[in-house]
Amino acid sequence: MSPHYNQNYTRKEIDDVLAGIKACIERNRYTISLNENRQENIDFIIEYNIRSDRQKSILMQIETEDFCHSLQNTKTGYEYEVLYVFVPQVRLFNADGEEETVDVYTKFNTIDLPSGSRAVVISFHKRNKPIDYLFPRATSQVAACRHLATAARVKDPVACSGVFDSDNYWRRGGT
């Protein structure tokens, strides 16, 4: 991992950062960078035909466990900004109509303005470099349950009881 990457955060700190980002997204006070310097974002959106409502959905499904690191902005005049990198795993359909799990590399900047905070999604594309998650990742069964619960807009984990028996799962050591 690059020495410029910072993983010196508590779960609570990243919970708070992510809550701020999601508040901006929920209020439509965000933008995904799609300029000439962000061709990779444009290509990703086109390759997977990700409409704006699905883009927002992907961003809203990011969890604390998806956090990798932060880094200082290196753009001249913006060196004081801290950028946060999250890499959620998302099920998407490619151009051939085949469903695949994609590691979506997202990098956020939050800007505090007199009119309120805004989130800038600097990166929104397929992961193109190795990453290290700061927090332990859920197993694929737990992640599947979370995905189903989110997709069904259910907040009660009992909704996933048909996916797997979580009590037995944890008693077996999460295998």
Side-chain angles (χ1 to χ4, degrees):
M1 186 164 66
S2 169
H4 303 289
Y5 295 169
N6 181 7
Q7 286 192 320
N8 190 23
Y9 292 98
T10 65
R11 182 176 293 274
K12 169 85 169 86
E13 288 170 323
I14 297 305
D15 285 344
D16 293 346
V17 166
L18 188 55
I21 291 169
K22 284 186 173 185
C24 291
I25 295 167
E26 184 66 37
R27 294 189 320 263
N28 292 318
R29 295 189 50 83
Y30 76 101
T31 186
I32 296 177
S33 297
L34 299 174
N35 59 41
E36 64 278 355
N37 298 325
R38 297 292 167 190
Q39 188 63 44
E40 198 168 6
N41 295 349
I42 296 167
D43 293 345
F44 175 69
I45 289 168
I46 292 170
E47 178 182 355
Y48 290 95
N49 192 28
I50 308 172
R51 296 184 318 266
S52 60
D53 59 334
R54 181 68 173 126
Q55 293 167 24
K56 183 175 183 176
S57 172
I58 290 168
L59 296 173
M60 289 300 293
Q61 290 177 26
I62 293 174
E63 298 180 349
T64 300
E65 291 78 12
D66 298 322
F67 177 74
C68 298
H69 58 266
S70 70
L71 63 154
Q72 291 299 129
N73 194 337
T74 57
K75 189 170 183 180
T76 304
Y78 297 93
E79 297 89 353
Y80 61 91
E81 295 177 342
V82 178
L83 311 177
Y84 296 91
V85 174
F86 295 82
V87 181
Q89 294 181 326
V90 180
R91 300 289 296 168
L92 296 172
F93 288 91
N94 64 26
D96 296 326
E98 298 166 346
E99 189 175 25
E100 61 183 88
T101 299
V102 178
D103 290 346
V104 181
Y105 183 91
T106 60
K107 182 168 33 177
F108 295 91
N109 184 14
T110 53
I111 303 169
D112 294 321
L113 301 168
S115 61
S117 296
R118 288 192 60 83
V120 178
V121 185
I122 298 165
S123 296
F124 184 76
H125 55 76
K126 233 177 180 176
R127 179 179 57 81
N128 58 10
K129 59 179 109 178
I131 51 100
D132 291 312
Y133 292 103
L134 177 58
F135 305 110
R137 306 276 303 154
T139 65
S140 59
Q141 284 181 318
V142 174
C145 178
R146 277 194 199 133
H147 174 72
L148 290 174
T150 301
R153 304 230 189 275
V154 175
K155 297 191 189 298
D156 186 358
V158 173
C160 292
S161 61
V163 176
F164 69 95
D165 179 350
S166 61
D167 288 337
N168 274 338
Y169 177 79
W170 294 115
R171 263 188 239 112
R172 290 191 323 261
T175 58

